[in-house]
Every structure is written in C-alpha cells, then in structure tokens.
Amino acid sequence: MSNPLTARSIESARRALAARLRSAGLDEAELDARMLLGAVLSLDLTGLISQAARPLTEAEATQLAGYAQRRISGEPVARILGTREFWGLPFRLSEATLVPRPDTETVVERALEMFREQSLSHPPRIADIGTGSGAILLALLHEIPDAFGVGTDLSMTALHTARSNAAALGLADRAAFVACSYASALRGPFDLIVSNPPYIPAGEIPKLSIEVREHDPHLALDGGNDGYDAYRALIPQAAERLVPGGALIVEAGQGQAGDIQALMAAAALSIDRPPKADLSGIPRAVSARKMPS
C-alpha cells in the first residue's frame, strides 16, 4: 500500500504534516513541519514556497512519514535532523551531546561582554568545561579571531562530535579537546572559562519533558541531589586556572543564580555584576572575576 503522502504537493504535504503534529499536541507544529519537510527535500523556506506545487516522490513521502512518527513519539526535531543552529552557526549533534538551546547563548553574550573589558598582551585563551557539541567554545572562537580554546568532556563521543564541529566551522586549528572531569586535566592559565554544566536535581529529571528526559544525555543533565554537584567541582578548579582579571561564566537553572554566586565568592572570585537574564527573564549566565592578589 502506498504512502498517503505520495503524490501530494509540497504545500499539501506541509499542511497535512502540520495538522498531524498539531493533533498530537505539539506546540510548534507549523515550524516542525516546515523544518522536517525542508530537510527531506533539501529546501529552505524560499525553496518550499517556490516549489510548492511539486508532488512528493514515494521515497520523499516515506522519509517524511518516518520523521513525523519520530516527532510524534517525542523525539526533538534537532535529534531527528542531527543538527541544530546556535549563535547562527550549524552544529552536528550526537547521542552524547545536549541540543544547544537559545538560553545558552546568554553565556556567550556575557563572556564576550567580560572579555572586551580585559586588556590582554597575548592571544586570548578560553576553556569550555563540559563542552558537549562544542557550541559555546566554538561560538566564542568565531567571535574572537585570535583566541585559542580547549573544551573538556567525560564523553569521548561528545569530544569527537565537538572536534568534527570545529573542523566544519574552520576552527580546528584553534580548538583542542580533552577527556577529563571538569578542568582536572587543564593547566591554564585562561582568560575566560565557560561552562553549561549539568544542573538538574536528579529527582527532577523524570518530570522533564519527553524531549529532554528521553533524548538528552543524562550525564549532561544530572546535577546530583540538589543540582549543584558540578558547580562545587568546577568553580574551585576554574578559580585556580584563571589569570588575574580573568572571568568565569556558567549557565544556571531557574532559581540557582544566588547559590552559584555564593560558591564563586567562596572560591575567592569577585561578583562584579548581576546574572544576565535570558529572553524569559530567568537569570541564566552567572559570572565572576579573579581579582589580582
């Protein structure tokens, strides 16, 4: 029996897919349908519009139906397609990496803000602790052309993904990747240290959306019983490896910024500005500087 999407026009298939996703309770059905159809056909929005009357082939309809079923089952579009845009750059994903989220761009914004206040006599050195896909580090290297960066992760699969992203973005000669726990294998010193660590309390993970709890790696989510295990480990390590005047910027979960600032202060870091909020108003990027001794 042929696929019901076969011989539908591109526009008709898009409408049918959006309706199916909407009936499954997905909030962004229209956007998801456009992205999935565009991926199957290798067309951007302009192409989808200009070729709206073209019928789908049997192979295209079959692939689209498979994507639709995966999305309805709770798999995020970025996981289905294997890529996600972050900071205007394309990033390949793997099962060992988080899907980069717009909230995390706040960390990049704060890091650039603090970097531009520094006066350096050497090429900038950046460390990204728990780099995953390499999104934060590579976004910063893209913005700071003479910088060199190191990303760490416990997962060799994540590090392989980050290396491939660095190569695809033309940044491989300025990025290195190291397998270790937080910053334990790094010597420093660094001018910027950034991190989006695991910060979800372990007991809260089963309550997360299916897109996150079933498809994001738990190693990158689980922050221990209270959500602060990673911060307790990485903040003192980062403080030791920063140059005087260097900055540490970490992503925080909702309601965590104040406690993270306390951990930074306990590591003799100076809190010189409030956390930077994301577009939802949640304090997201928490930062501090290492003051000269």
Side-chain angles (χ1 to χ4, degrees), residues 105-117:
E105 293 188 352
T106 311
V107 174
V108 178
E109 292 169 359
R110 172 54 60 87
L112 290 172
E113 171 189 316
M114 297 186 76
F115 164 74
R116 288 165 181 154
E117 296 171 357

Side-chain angles (χ1 to χ4, degrees), residues 7-256:
R8 281 184 180 266
S9 70
I10 287 176
E11 176 61 15
S12 175
R14 185 195 65 76
R15 291 178 182 273
L17 177 57
R20 185 179 177 194
L21 297 180
R22 195 161 44 247
S23 68
L26 297 175
D27 293 335
E28 298 186 332
E30 294 286 344
L31 177 60
D32 290 355
R34 178 169 62 80
M35 292 182 67
L36 293 174
L37 183 58
V40 168
L41 303 176
S42 298
L43 294 174
D44 59 13
L45 178 58
T46 301
L48 291 175
I49 293 171
S50 65
Q51 299 186 41
R54 174 174 80 75
L56 298 186
T57 67
E58 180 75 37
E60 291 167 345
T62 298
Q63 185 178 6
L64 185 61
Y67 280 2
Q69 190 54 50
R70 290 169 66 181
R71 183 68 191 103
I72 289 168
S73 72
E75 188 172 356
V77 170
R79 293 284 180 202
I80 296 170
L81 304 185
T83 62
R84 178 63 176 259
E85 183 178 287
F86 179 86
W87 202 257
L89 304 170
F91 286 89
R92 189 171 70 84
L93 308 177
S94 68
E95 69 277 6
T97 65
L98 291 173
V99 175
R101 293 172 172 82
D103 293 343
T104 304
E105 293 188 352
T106 311
V107 174
V108 178
E109 292 169 359
R110 172 54 60 87
L112 290 172
E113 171 189 316
M114 297 186 76
F115 164 74
R116 288 165 181 154
E117 296 171 357
Q118 295 174 257
S119 178
L120 302 179
S121 59
H122 57 265
R125 297 165 294 198
I126 304 169
D128 180 12
I129 310 305
T131 195
S133 64
I136 299 175
L137 177 64
L138 298 175
L140 288 170
L141 294 180
H142 177 77
E143 294 293 328
I144 309 173
D146 59 338
F148 178 83
V150 179
T152 74
D153 209 288
L154 280 173
S155 168
M156 294 301 297
T157 300
L159 292 171
H160 176 77
T161 304
R163 286 191 190 98
S164 71
N165 283 325
L169 293 169
L171 298 169
D173 61 335
R174 295 196 287 124
F177 297 95
V178 177
C180 68
S181 176
Y182 303 114
S184 60
L186 303 184
R187 296 182 61 185
F190 295 96
D191 304 292
L192 284 176
I193 299 180
V194 293
S195 182
N196 177 18
Y199 55 70
I200 308 297
E204 297 296 314
I205 292 176
K207 304 174 188 177
L208 298 174
S209 69
I210 189 171
E211 286 89 347
V212 175
R213 72 173 187 267
E214 296 295 334
H215 296 284
D216 274 340
H218 278 217
L219 184 65
L221 297 174
D222 190 346
N225 288 337
D226 63 358
Y228 294 98
D229 281 3
Y231 300 107
R232 294 189 189 98
L234 76 87
I235 289 173
Q237 291 181 1
E240 292 178 357
R241 291 161 175 80
L242 282 170
V243 299
L248 169 65
I249 304 95
V250 300
E251 180 167 329
Q254 188 167 7
Q256 292 182 321

